[in-house]
Amino acid sequence: MAMYDQFAFIYDRLMSDIPYAKYAEWVQTKAPHSAGKKLVDIGCGTGVLSVQFAKAGYDVIGVDLSESMLTVAQNRSLDNNVQVSFICQSMSEMDGFEGIDVAVIAIDSINYLEKLDEVKQTFQHIYHSLVEGGQLFFDVHSLFKMDEIYPNGPFTYEDEQVAYIWNTEIGEESHSIYHDITFFVRDEAGYYERFEESHYQRTFPVETYINLLKEIGFSSISNSTSIFGEQSQDEIERFFIHAVK
């Protein structure tokens, strides 16, 4: 089964603690909406941010590799009465985009790229799709999170509808992790369906991302750790990076 095929339908429930509004505020503060401003939400998942950006007035395109996630995203846009175009593509192979004002890769989506070359290709595609002065926003896991927090699994979760056991194993590449998650989802009859998902994430030193952006031609590159709230400098889990073409 393809990544997220079943996971898509419970993803929102499990991501309910993510402060999406703060992410949207960060983008909107740096790149305020104006008439016709085009925004591409890369790795859009179930479209939570896509819908928020559309409501704010951006002309939004959502991109994701999972058709199941995009189905949920499309339904969300219809339920919220906003127009969002959704496209099934890999971020490292993005094609057909031009005249983009804002590009967003949110909630560690870029950490699903396994090779540094794929990260570079993604940045290159985005750079060429952006107008002059166009802006890129993304976040990545820190080395601390990959090397110190994730290996301390298993992690567990349980509520009235969903339970999971989340096992982690250090990957073969530096600063990488395998996630093996077993879900138990309660149906309307009260029975639990079991299914499993396997994911792989990798990160690089934040300086590596910044140097790649500079090499490609981005300018005014800034790095923040406080978009979701202050983090201890010794235990930073997520970096937020902003770059301008």
Side-chain angles (χ1 to χ4, degrees):
M1 177 169 291
M3 181 179 292
Y4 286 124
D5 275 1
Q6 294 190 44
F7 188 39
F9 299 99
I10 60 169
Y11 178 81
D12 289 337
R13 190 182 191 93
L14 302 181
M15 297 289 283
S16 61
D17 62 334
I18 297 293
Y20 288 104
K22 290 185 178 180
Y23 212 109
E25 181 182 0
W26 174 45
V27 174
Q28 291 169 233
T29 299
K30 299 281 188 180
H33 159 68
S34 60
K37 182 164 283 188
K38 293 183 180 180
L39 183 151
V40 59
D41 182 9
I42 303 165
C44 67
T46 61
V48 174
L49 275 175
S50 298
V51 167
Q52 288 193 30
F53 288 131
K55 285 184 174 181
Y58 298 92
D59 182 2
V60 181
I61 303 170
V63 179
D64 203 277
L65 188 57
S66 167
E67 292 183 358
S68 297
M69 294 289 246
L70 291 176
T71 297
V72 178
Q74 184 66 63
N75 290 335
R76 169 173 273 110
S77 69
L78 294 173
D79 290 343
N80 283 271
N81 197 31
V82 294
Q83 181 64 43
V84 179
S85 300
F86 291 104
I87 298 174
C88 187
Q89 268 190 12
S90 164
M91 68 176 74
S92 63
E93 299 176 352
M94 283 177 56
D95 186 40
F97 295 88
E98 60 182 18
I100 301 298
D101 298 285
V102 182
V104 178
I105 316 174
I107 317 301
D108 54 79
S109 292
I110 204 165
N111 289 129
Y112 282 94
L113 299 177
E114 298 184 15
K115 304 296 183 182
L116 190 59
D117 282 347
E118 293 176 316
V119 177
K120 183 176 182 178
Q121 289 168 13
T122 299
F123 290 162
Q124 288 173 326
H125 287 306
I126 292 171
Y127 184 84
H128 292 303
S129 74
L130 287 172
V131 299
E132 198 67 31
Q135 301 182 58
L136 167 63
F137 301 82
F138 68 97
D139 64 279
V140 292
H141 289 317
S142 68
L143 303 188
F144 171 75
K145 188 169 188 178
M146 281 293 195
D147 299 343
E148 301 294 334
I149 294 181
Y150 276 143
N152 287 328
F155 308 100
T156 60
Y157 173 88
E158 182 179 4
D159 64 24
E160 293 181 355
Q161 297 295 325
V162 177
Y164 68 65
I165 302 172
W166 175 4
N167 289 294
T168 56
E169 182 179 347
I170 295 173
E172 295 179 2
E173 303 285 355
S174 58
H175 318 304
S176 68
I177 204 83
Y178 289 100
H179 306 278
D180 293 307
I181 314 171
T182 302
F183 293 95
F184 302 88
V185 182
R186 189 177 185 181
D187 62 21
E188 294 180 356
Y191 296 101
Y192 283 86
E193 177 185 5
R194 170 179 171 163
F195 65 93
E196 297 179 349
E197 289 282 344
S198 294
H199 303 265
Y200 176 81
Q201 285 190 310
R202 186 182 184 190
T203 201
F204 300 92
V206 67
E207 295 81 10
T208 299
Y209 293 104
I210 291 172
N211 288 336
L212 276 180
L213 293 169
K214 290 179 179 178
E215 178 184 334
I216 290 166
F218 282 96
S219 62
S220 302
I221 302 166
S222 61
N223 165 36
S224 175
T225 60
S226 60
I227 303 304
F228 286 173
E230 293 297 330
Q231 301 182 73
S232 167
Q233 291 303 302
D234 295 330
E235 298 182 346
I236 293 172
E237 296 185 25
R238 189 184 300 268
F239 291 101
F240 300 82
I241 301 172
H242 171 232
V244 180
K245 179 175 177 178

